[in-house]
Amino acid sequence: MNARAGWNRWYLAIGLMGCAVYRALPRSVAAQAVFVTLAVSTPIIGLIALRHYRTPATAAWSVILVGFAIAAAGEVAEFACVSLRIAPEAGAAIDVSFVAAYMVLLWGLMLLFRAQTASRHQFGWFDAAAVGVAVGTVVWTTMYD
């Protein structure tokens, strides 16, 4: 295993364990804290990955990271509202941040498609599928969880 690529495998393993812990915990502040930790770690790890791996789609990945950062900020704000028992009216502003995150993620996904099509990269669809799964997860947890 390449030492340079080893850190992302560790993050994947820890992230999957975090997801399992989140699902195993009953709905509580502790479960929400695990979810917020995972949400905040995503743009941080993405930023580290962008520093290590330069691709023709770096601009697209940067936009996607901004989208994940906006979603993470929304998760932190929601966690603060729940933990501090702030009035539900604050939820509307938080929902706006999630909608903004989805728009930025969609923009990044379109840039990723354009970059992959332009370079004819054979693994471009794997990148797009990874982003699609991530965006779908954010939408699913926000809308249906």
Side-chain angles (χ1 to χ4, degrees), residues 74 77-96 98:
E78 183 177 353
F79 180 68
C81 286
V82 169
S83 299
L84 301 174
R85 292 177 174 52
I86 295 175
E89 297 84 39
I94 295 169
D95 290 340
V96 169
F98 287 122

Side-chain angles (χ1 to χ4, degrees), residues 11-130:
Y11 175 72
L12 178 62
I14 292 168
L16 288 173
M17 285 189 296
C19 290
V21 167
Y22 170 71
R23 277 299 179 202
L25 289 174
R27 291 185 75 72
S28 64
V29 174
Q32 188 65 20
V34 170
F35 185 79
V36 169
T37 302
L38 291 169
V40 169
S41 70
T42 302
I44 293 170
I45 293 298
L47 188 62
I48 293 168
L50 273 180
R51 289 187 61 218
H52 286 285
Y53 304 107
R54 293 291 177 187
T55 68
T58 299
W61 285 112
S62 298
V63 172
I64 290 168
L65 283 179
V66 169
F68 281 131
I70 293 169
E75 290 295 344
V76 169
E78 183 177 353
F79 180 68
C81 286
V82 169
S83 299
L84 301 174
R85 292 177 174 52
I86 295 175
E89 297 84 39
I94 295 169
D95 290 340
V96 169
S97 72
F98 287 122
V99 171
Y102 301 150
M103 293 298 143
V104 172
L105 287 167
L106 180 61
W107 176 36
L109 187 59
M110 290 182 346
L111 289 174
L112 187 63
F113 281 139
R114 181 181 301 155
Q116 297 302 333
T117 302
S119 67
R120 301 285 183 218
H121 190 265
Q122 65 186 20
F123 295 108
W125 289 106
F126 291 123
D127 292 341

